[in-house]
Amino acid sequence: MLNIANREIKKRIELGGDFGSFTETDHGLDIKSDRYTYELKFYSNTIVRIHQVGENKDENPYSVVQEPQKVSFSVEEHDTSIIASSDSLDVIINKSPISFTFLNKEGKVINEDDAGLGIQTQGEQVTVYKKLQEGERFVGLGEKTGPLDRRGKGYQNWNTDHFAYDIEADPLYASIPFYIGIHGNLSYGIFLDNSYKSHFNFGASNNRFSSLSVDSGDMNYYFFAGSVTEIIQSYTWLTGRMSMPPMWSIGYQQCRYSYYPDTEVLDVAKKFRDKDIPADVIVLDIHYMDQYKIFSWDKERFPNPGQMLDALKEMGFEVVVICDPGIKIEEGYEPFTSGKEKDVFLKYSDGSYYEGEVWPGWCHFPDFTNEETRKWWKEMMKSYTDIGIKGFWNDMNEIATWGQMLPENIEFDFEGEGGTSRKGRNIYGHQMTRSAYESAIANLKGERPFILTRAGFAGVQRYSALWTGDNVANDEHMLLGVRMVNSLGLSGVPFSGYDVGGFAGNGQSNLFARWIQIGAFSPFFRGHSMINSHDSEPWSYGEEVEEISANYIKLRYKLLPYIYHTFLQASEQGLPVARSLCIDHAQDDKIYETDFENQYLFGDNILVAPLASDQRYGKVYLPEGEWYEFFTDEKFDGAQEMIREYAIEHLPLFIKASAIIPIYGDVSQNSKNVGSTLELHFYNGEDGNQTEYYEDDGISYDNTKGAFHRRAIQFEPEKKSIRISKASGDFTSKIEKLKIVLHGFDSSDIKNWKGGKLRSDEYAYVRPISNFDPFEKDRRDSLKAENVFITEMDYSNEEITFNW
């Protein structure tokens, strides 16, 4: 009986085949086994693509934007293997059965297929089994729940509408099949470029292998070598990087499901101005539409949308509107009529239109893998852009329908190549977002749009920000959101966030206070709550929380030059805005512990240590180096954990020694009202450091034509020098005054200061809280540094130096 069982298994499972021959190509090798052809292509010295080609080559045309670069490589054939080598990487192709091993130039194994399992096929499913390395950790994989280190977990990629998801739920709305493996002093990345349902096992239920598998299509993946930073840069080079967002989109956005009628929208906007709480955006959820039909307005609730938009513009607000893909089946409804005329809707295999039920009722759905559909969508979107709307929130694009069972026999165009929803489901949100982006770019005639999406796939960062869907108003979701945003950053999506305050359910006042603090240090900063929940604006939880909210929202606006430069790094280098500590401290075991896995760097220099709303005492781990407490300048040695008391208005924040933090000194209303004073905060340290001040108009693409104001800022403690380079670019800066603020310096350190008169002073990033428990008087004025040195002068485009 056992022999019969073994024969049955062999019939069901096929290995990758034995080596037959190979041919050298311009970029690598074509290797033939007795079952498949394997294409090995070097895209750079550190990026290699492995593609097992089946009978009919099946590729995803939407994620990768680069062609292989010209790479010098060598090939050696041995009895049992072939070795293909670039300057940075050796790839061993084992002959029997075909499998792959990746080594660095010191001969250390970075990653290797399990020799006994290798590449296996079961029916349409193809799986690569990778040998687990000693101490190997796994991070990334995009929008996934769970811990920072995914070792011992398994996940699948199948875009799914999952309202109020559990903190261990999988799958969710977006699929980004890219992860980073870390072991010893080595790291690597793997991007599985296949949009069918896929599965990742990081040693779940076994201690032998990790694996990646696809339910259909080709096994096609890219391997990246280097440091974690280099891997992220390589991945985003391959799949594309975001362009600079409009400045208003990185300010505070206020949303509710839903604000209506128009008088309520205007009232919410006016309250922000009356209460002196900055905000840039009011977001309109589905109740602005006529019976939830996209490209329409409810005539009773919003009788004159253009007039409302003009009034909001007068108050300094932009508007973002929700856009769902379902087109209601209704004669006389223009998008339905023109969509049928242009034949843009998804169809079943028998040629009839697919119908699914969602908010408007029974709907057809545009096929965004068809170029003609994308042209039609651009025409439809003019109804928004023509009245001044520049922000578009793509929702329900998994595709979400009632019943959540999208049929698998729906056919997609795939640029004329064809495919079913098995291949198209995961790519649908990506392509809708692409259509929104390209349509807005064309219709806005040179202005930057803001695009937000719920669903997406690898490469979505080129078009859109992404938020983590319908979360829940509790501490677990607040902290999970932090991890998910950090994971998205590791996976190439720098512009992401969560619904601050929680979408579903009713949160308590302390929860909102903590969430607004943490959200101020999220790339995408939006408050949002659902229908039939209590109000969730900054003033909705009492006076104390209102003051805390105002403080941290204003702090966000003060930090705009620091944040904007971080977005510049994302656009130029692919680096995330919110950075998991595993990027800079991959080998530090402490950062993966449950107590510390939520900590992250916001930009280069600000460490955020999120606390739950009921935590009065916070456990914090500071990585190696020296650190300053953000608000008080108290100095700490790194590589230590500590427990400290934190009042509800005090989010644990720390600054790296030698950091340079540019901020605006006088903020009000929105991102256009930031005053004319630039403050440069220097934190004393032993190491030199450099950053940039970057400014452009924040609304157009003229920055790509030289219309920017950019200058390097250097801090060199050994030379006792600060240098601000001459400004480059054609843009005229708004800055008129410059303030230098020195933190952590003794008067003896700077007694020979040259470059303007220094005064000793105190400094506070936030205002003291007036509404607090009178028995806690020690809280008043506690968030300030009492010994800084300040000098002020007129701002100049010429080089500026300070010495001491």
Side-chain angles (χ1 to χ4, degrees):
M1 293 294 292
L2 183 60
N3 289 335
I4 292 173
N6 285 338
R7 285 198 297 273
E8 288 298 314
I9 290 170
K10 287 178 180 178
K11 287 179 182 178
R12 295 197 303 269
I13 299 176
E14 292 183 345
L15 293 174
D18 292 328
F19 172 78
S21 63
F22 78 92
T23 304
E24 192 169 331
T25 66
D26 289 343
H27 300 289
L29 304 175
D30 285 349
I31 305 151
K32 292 190 180 298
S33 77
D34 53 1
R35 292 195 180 96
Y36 303 98
T37 295
Y38 293 87
E39 295 178 355
L40 183 155
K41 290 184 180 179
F42 285 102
Y43 273 62
S44 75
N45 281 317
T46 58
I47 305 173
V48 62
R49 177 185 181 184
I50 306 295
H51 187 176
Q52 183 195 66
V53 182
E55 187 174 334
N56 297 304
K57 198 170 189 177
D58 192 330
E59 297 184 280
N60 162 30
Y62 298 122
S63 292
V64 172
V65 296
Q66 297 290 350
E67 295 294 328
Q69 304 298 293
K70 185 63 178 176
V71 175
S72 177
F73 66 93
S74 61
V75 180
E76 298 177 8
E77 183 174 12
H78 303 275
D79 290 343
T80 60
S81 66
I82 304 163
I83 302 176
S85 300
S86 71
D87 289 345
S88 303
L89 187 64
D90 293 338
V91 185
I92 300 175
I93 304 100
N94 304 295
K95 289 183 175 180
S96 183
I98 296 288
S99 64
F100 297 87
T101 302
F102 304 88
L103 296 87
N104 67 11
K105 301 312 285 188
E106 286 74 48
K108 293 182 179 179
V109 173
I110 310 172
N111 175 263
E112 59 185 321
D113 292 356
D114 185 296
L117 302 176
I119 305 169
Q120 296 189 356
T121 303
Q122 299 184 58
E124 289 184 70
Q125 187 181 74
V126 188
T127 304
V128 176
Y129 293 91
K130 300 283 188 180
K131 182 180 177 182
L132 279 173
Q133 304 298 319
E134 184 178 352
E136 189 166 15
R137 302 182 186 276
F138 303 90
V139 299
L141 208 65
E143 186 190 61
K144 294 297 181 187
T145 60
L148 167 61
D149 180 6
R150 305 197 181 283
R151 176 72 177 260
K153 299 284 186 179
Y155 301 89
Q156 63 174 297
N157 291 304
W158 193 234
N159 289 3
T160 300
D161 175 14
H162 200 148
F163 171 76
Y165 49 92
D166 185 81
I167 62 168
E168 293 289 338
D170 184 69
L172 293 180
Y173 309 93
S175 297
I176 303 175
F178 168 69
Y179 73 89
I180 297 171
I182 300 165
H183 62 92
N185 292 313
L186 303 171
S187 52
Y188 66 90
I190 289 181
F191 165 45
L192 177 57
D193 190 13
N194 179 311
S195 63
Y196 288 89
K197 182 185 286 186
S198 60
H199 310 264
F200 287 75
N201 183 321
F202 298 118
S205 303
N206 83 92
N207 60 2
R208 175 176 175 177
F209 60 78
S210 63
S211 64
L212 47 150
S213 67
V214 293
D215 277 7
S216 191
D218 293 350
M219 176 53 64
N220 178 24
Y221 70 89
Y222 294 80
F223 181 87
F224 306 84
S227 67
V228 176
T229 296
E230 290 166 340
I231 290 164
I232 296 170
Q233 290 173 321
S234 294
Y235 169 75
T236 55
W237 170 81
L238 185 74
T239 60
R241 294 168 180 159
M242 68 177 296
S243 54
M244 286 296 285
M247 177 67 88
W248 55 264
S249 69
I250 62 177
Y252 182 67
Q253 304 193 24
Q254 183 64 52
C255 183
R256 181 168 174 80
Y257 164 41
S258 294
Y259 290 128
Y260 66 88
D262 53 3
T263 51
E264 182 180 6
V265 175
L266 294 170
D267 182 61
V268 170
K270 187 173 184 298
K271 279 185 178 177
F272 275 100
R273 298 298 178 247
D274 290 346
K275 291 177 174 293
D276 190 30
I277 301 175
D280 270 270
V281 178
I282 299 293
V283 185
L284 301 183
D285 210 317
I286 58 175
H287 288 95
Y288 79 87
M289 294 182 272
D290 176 18
Q291 299 178 22
Y292 311 124
K293 294 180 292 187
I294 188 173
F295 309 122
S296 73
W297 292 84
D298 185 298
K299 292 181 175 56
E300 291 186 6
R301 294 167 175 163
F302 296 87
N304 193 330
Q307 189 176 61
M308 178 192 70
L309 291 166
D310 288 343
L312 289 168
K313 188 175 181 180
E314 278 291 311
M315 286 189 277
F317 283 94
E318 298 289 347
V319 169
V320 171
V321 292
I322 196 169
C323 300
D324 291 350
I327 303 297
K328 184 176 176 62
I329 300 169
E330 180 183 279
E331 294 298 335
Y333 173 42
E334 203 276 334
F336 169 72
T337 303
S338 65
K340 281 208 307 181
E341 287 174 355
K342 295 184 180 293
D343 196 25
V344 301
F345 299 130
L346 291 169
K347 298 176 181 177
Y348 286 114
S349 54
D350 65 0
S352 61
Y353 287 126
Y354 165 64
E355 298 179 11
E357 191 176 15
V358 69
W359 292 114
W362 288 100
C363 294
H364 293 327
F365 295 84
D367 178 4
F368 294 109
T369 69
N370 185 331
E371 185 179 0
E372 293 305 311
T373 304
R374 298 193 293 270
K375 291 178 182 177
W376 169 79
W377 197 251
K378 180 176 70 174
E379 292 303 310
M380 292 296 100
M381 281 189 65
K382 282 183 178 178
S383 66
Y384 292 133
T385 54
D386 284 352
I387 59 174
I389 293 173
K390 304 167 192 173
F392 305 94
W393 166 20
N394 295 261
D395 196 15
M396 306 294 285
N397 53 348
E398 289 75 27
I399 302 169
T401 55
W402 307 153
Q404 305 298 340
M405 287 293 289
L406 188 72
E408 294 191 346
N409 61 341
I410 298 171
E411 295 191 333
F412 286 67
D413 183 72
F414 271 96
E415 316 307 322
E417 294 298 316
T420 70
S421 51
R422 293 182 68 198
K423 182 177 181 179
R425 176 171 175 151
N426 278 345
I427 213 73
Y428 191 85
H430 178 282
Q431 283 299 99
M432 182 185 179
T433 298
R434 170 190 177 182
S435 298
Y437 177 79
E438 292 176 348
S439 298
I441 291 281
N443 293 340
L444 290 173
K445 297 179 174 55
E447 284 201 55
R448 306 175 197 171
F450 169 67
I451 311 294
L452 179 67
T453 189
R454 190 169 75 175
F457 196 73
V460 70
Q461 68 270 6
R462 302 195 299 268
Y463 310 121
S464 180
L466 186 148
W467 103 105
T468 60
D470 297 337
N471 63 0
V472 181
N474 61 41
D475 281 292
E476 291 79 9
H477 263 266
M478 178 177 70
L479 298 176
L480 171 62
V482 170
R483 293 196 301 280
M484 291 170 75
V485 166
N486 293 347
S487 181
L488 284 161
L490 287 165
S491 308
V493 183
F495 201 178
S496 64
Y498 31 74
D499 285 342
V500 168
F503 178 70
N506 290 312
Q508 300 303 309
S509 58
N510 276 13
L511 177 67
F512 188 86
R514 278 288 183 231
W515 216 325
I516 203 86
Q517 294 165 13
I518 297 168
F521 293 87
S522 171
F524 171 58
F525 187 23
R526 181 181 78 168
H528 189 26
S529 57
M530 74 173 293
I531 197 168
N532 296 324
S533 64
H534 66 51
D535 290 349
S536 193
E537 291 79 35
W539 51 82
S540 302
Y541 295 89
E543 293 179 352
E544 181 184 38
V545 174
E546 181 180 332
E547 286 193 59
I548 292 169
S549 300
N551 263 343
Y552 280 85
I553 293 173
K554 285 182 177 180
L555 179 56
R556 167 77 169 210
Y557 280 82
K558 287 180 180 180
L559 286 165
L560 278 178
Y562 176 83
I563 297 169
Y564 203 53
H565 174 252
T566 306
F567 274 95
L568 182 69
Q569 292 176 312
S571 70
E572 293 183 340
Q573 304 171 45
L575 296 177
V577 176
R579 301 173 184 175
S580 167
L581 294 183
C582 72
I583 295 176
D584 290 339
H585 304 279
Q587 315 306 326
D588 188 337
D589 291 339
K590 277 286 181 185
I591 68 164
Y592 302 98
E593 293 182 7
T594 303
D595 286 336
F596 311 118
E597 64 179 352
N598 299 320
Q599 296 184 186
Y600 62 98
L601 283 174
F602 190 62
D604 290 324
N605 294 305
I606 301 176
L607 187 146
V608 184
L611 292 182
S613 63
D614 59 354
Q615 279 186 271
R616 185 64 186 257
Y617 291 87
K619 195 173 184 182
V620 174
Y621 175 69
L622 297 178
E624 64 180 355
E626 293 181 322
W627 300 85
Y628 291 87
E629 208 285 332
F630 181 84
F631 296 105
T632 65
D633 282 359
E634 188 176 357
K635 194 173 181 181
F636 302 94
D637 291 328
Q640 67 158 319
E641 58 182 90
M642 56 191 185
I643 297 175
R644 292 170 62 81
E645 185 176 7
Y646 290 97
I648 189 59
E649 73 272 14
H650 189 178
L651 177 68
L653 299 169
F654 298 86
I655 302 288
K656 281 184 182 179
S658 301
I660 308 165
I661 309 292
I663 76 166
Y664 291 134
D666 184 21
V667 302
S668 65
Q669 294 199 356
N670 61 22
S671 58
K672 293 179 181 178
N673 293 277
V674 292
S676 58
T677 298
L678 175 67
E679 298 181 5
L680 296 178
H681 291 251
F682 294 86
Y683 288 79
N684 200 9
E686 296 180 358
D687 300 322
N689 197 12
Q690 178 172 315
T691 190
E692 287 182 305
Y693 175 65
Y694 177 82
E695 191 182 337
D696 57 31
D697 65 18
I699 57 172
S700 78
Y701 291 99
D702 291 347
N703 61 310
T704 64
K705 305 169 188 174
F708 54 77
H709 176 85
R710 189 169 185 171
R711 57 200 313 179
I713 305 168
Q714 291 178 307
F715 173 39
E716 298 180 282
E718 286 188 0
K719 296 181 179 179
K720 297 186 176 182
S721 170
I722 291 170
R723 175 179 173 270
I724 304 170
S725 73
K726 183 177 180 179
S728 62
D730 300 329
F731 184 75
T732 300
S733 173
K734 67 173 76 72
I735 301 303
E736 298 174 1
K737 296 288 184 181
L738 179 65
K739 179 186 288 188
I740 303 297
V741 184
L742 305 179
H743 299 257
F745 289 79
D746 291 326
S747 56
S748 59
D749 294 333
I750 49 176
K751 61 183 178 181
N752 296 317
W753 177 268
K754 300 178 183 66
K757 186 178 180 180
L758 276 180
R759 71 174 189 272
S760 177
D761 209 336
E762 58 184 32
Y763 188 90
Y765 283 108
V766 295
R767 294 176 181 174
I769 299 297
S770 59
N771 290 289
F772 61 84
D773 188 331
F775 293 103
E776 296 181 306
K777 293 180 180 179
D778 58 318
R779 286 171 58 188
R780 181 179 291 278
D781 292 341
S782 63
L783 300 185
K784 66 180 179 182
E786 296 185 342
N787 188 28
V788 302
F789 294 91
I790 299 174
T791 187
E792 300 177 68
M793 67 205 65
D794 291 335
Y795 188 74
S796 166
N797 288 335
E798 299 303 313
E799 180 176 303
I800 303 170
T801 59
F802 305 92
N803 296 285
W804 58 92

